[in-house]
Amino acid sequence: MDNRAIGIFDSGLGGLTTVKEMQRLLPQERIIYFGDTGRVPYGSRSRETLRKYAMQDVAFLKQFDCKLIIAACGTISSVFTPEMQQSIGVPFTGVVQPTAQAACAVTNGRIGVIGTSATIHSGAYGRAIRAINPNVRTFGNACPLFVPLVENGFVQPDNEITTRVAEIYLKPIQEAQVDTLILGCTHYPLLTPIIDRLLNSQVTLINAGEQAARWAQNYLMSNDLLGDGDGACEYFISDTPELFAETAGIFLGEPLKDITQISIEELQAAI
Ligand code: DGL
């Protein structure tokens, strides 16, 4: 038994897809969430900048003596190296490996991957999928407008602007006739109703945030690290809380109580 918290981070709202699944699977786990809303989006940044941000985010969470840290962010997971992972000194996972495994388990051989520009250009999902099953073909498409749309609350299933943008981004995926689609950025599941409707509910959607939570459940169980606490979740963000609280509250189905704003300087000093 281990009642230390699980640290989860993302550039903003996306990592809540991991929090939501975590709360469903393991309601007794304490969670410390960090959303780097002062520097979102991550997906258009260079590999070097992303690695620097990742290490700052991890250092911030380490202050809470976390038993596991999850990069609930496809972008960070795509550029995170084994050396970085080793240097942390705390158990860690990103979303790419668990998600690739889940997609390979259900596909008939054609997997689409949508993600941020950094994620798609890194080729990380394709590499992970080929390592699991070299016979599977992958088709990627970057969707850089999705994250700003989500962060600005354009997530209603009938939102006309988001629907039009999604039509454009999903066209090549539909043309590739994939049977499975990885929502490789953790923000995208907030757009699931729109994406699923445009694909006529014919494609299996794999939610990267959820898969990371499932991986974490297995990891905690097999290492005797499960907690039996009250499941409290504390939120830290690096910009103003109003819009975050509103959209997060809708997504999680309950108002967020505990949100603390930290400064970017504080984050940089954590390292
Ligand atoms: N939610 C993140 C991801 O999974 C970050 C997106 C962004 O900030 O561009 O890629």
Side-chain angles (χ1 to χ4, degrees):
M1 201 56 65
D2 188 331
N3 279 323
R4 288 177 300 161
I6 300 169
I8 300 178
F9 73 94
D10 178 47
S11 60
L13 288 157
L16 297 179
T17 53
T18 299
V19 171
K20 193 174 182 176
E21 183 67 357
M22 207 70 199
Q23 289 179 330
R24 193 181 73 79
L25 294 173
L26 301 173
Q28 293 179 307
E29 294 297 331
R30 199 156 71 80
I31 295 173
I32 309 282
Y33 184 81
F34 174 60
D36 196 3
T37 50
R39 301 191 294 196
V40 69
Y42 277 7
S44 50
R45 299 187 193 273
S46 71
R47 200 167 277 225
E48 293 66 38
T49 302
L50 290 169
R51 287 181 176 150
K52 186 174 75 186
Y53 286 3
M55 292 316 275
Q56 290 170 354
D57 299 346
V58 165
F60 175 72
L61 287 173
K62 271 179 72 173
Q63 300 178 93
F64 298 91
D65 187 26
C66 296
K67 60 183 169 186
L68 170 68
I69 292 181
I70 305 176
C73 173
T75 306
I76 293 295
S77 311
S78 301
V79 300
F80 214 83
T81 64
E83 294 72 37
M84 288 166 75
Q85 187 157 343
Q86 272 211 320
S87 74
I88 294 176
V90 174
F92 170 91
T93 188
V95 299
V96 171
Q97 197 57 36
T99 305
Q101 233 130 23
C104 285
V106 297
T107 187
N108 289 325
R110 297 174 82 82
I111 299 180
V113 183
I114 53 173
T116 65
S117 302
T119 297
I120 297 303
H121 293 140
S122 76
Y125 278 105
R127 272 196 305 281
I129 289 166
R130 273 192 300 283
I132 298 164
N133 184 347
N135 298 320
V136 172
R137 291 195 61 194
T138 60
F139 305 86
N141 199 25
C143 308
L145 293 175
F146 276 175
V147 168
L149 286 167
V150 169
E151 288 290 325
N152 284 286
F154 282 44
V155 295
Q156 310 74 14
D158 59 351
N159 190 290
E160 284 174 27
I161 296 169
T162 308
T163 300
R164 181 68 194 117
V165 171
E167 269 168 7
I168 296 167
Y169 285 149
L170 293 175
K171 194 157 180 274
I173 294 293
Q174 283 175 302
E175 285 169 356
Q177 298 189 315
V178 303
D179 58 76
T180 302
L181 178 63
I182 290 179
L183 308 182
C185 166
T186 52
H187 278 73
Y188 299 179
L190 281 87
L191 306 176
T192 293
I194 296 178
I195 295 171
D196 188 51
R197 192 179 67 241
L198 292 175
L199 298 175
N200 304 314
S201 304
Q202 296 295 308
V203 174
T204 307
L205 303 181
I206 307 286
N207 173 331
E210 254 175 46
Q211 296 308 324
R214 291 187 199 169
W215 182 94
Q217 179 187 33
N218 281 335
Y219 175 82
L220 295 177
M221 275 165 59
S222 25
N223 288 281
D224 199 17
L225 288 171
L226 287 172
D228 62 354
D230 60 1
C233 187
E234 267 179 85
Y235 297 89
F236 293 84
I237 54 174
S238 54
D239 212 328
T240 46
E242 289 76 22
L243 190 55
F244 178 88
E246 195 183 312
T247 311
I250 295 169
F251 179 67
L252 293 175
E254 58 182 21
L256 265 59
K257 288 183 274 283
D258 228 338
I259 307 184
T260 307
Q261 183 177 350
I262 63 157
S263 68
I264 303 283
E265 290 72 28
E266 200 176 325
L267 193 58
Q268 288 163 338
I271 208 151

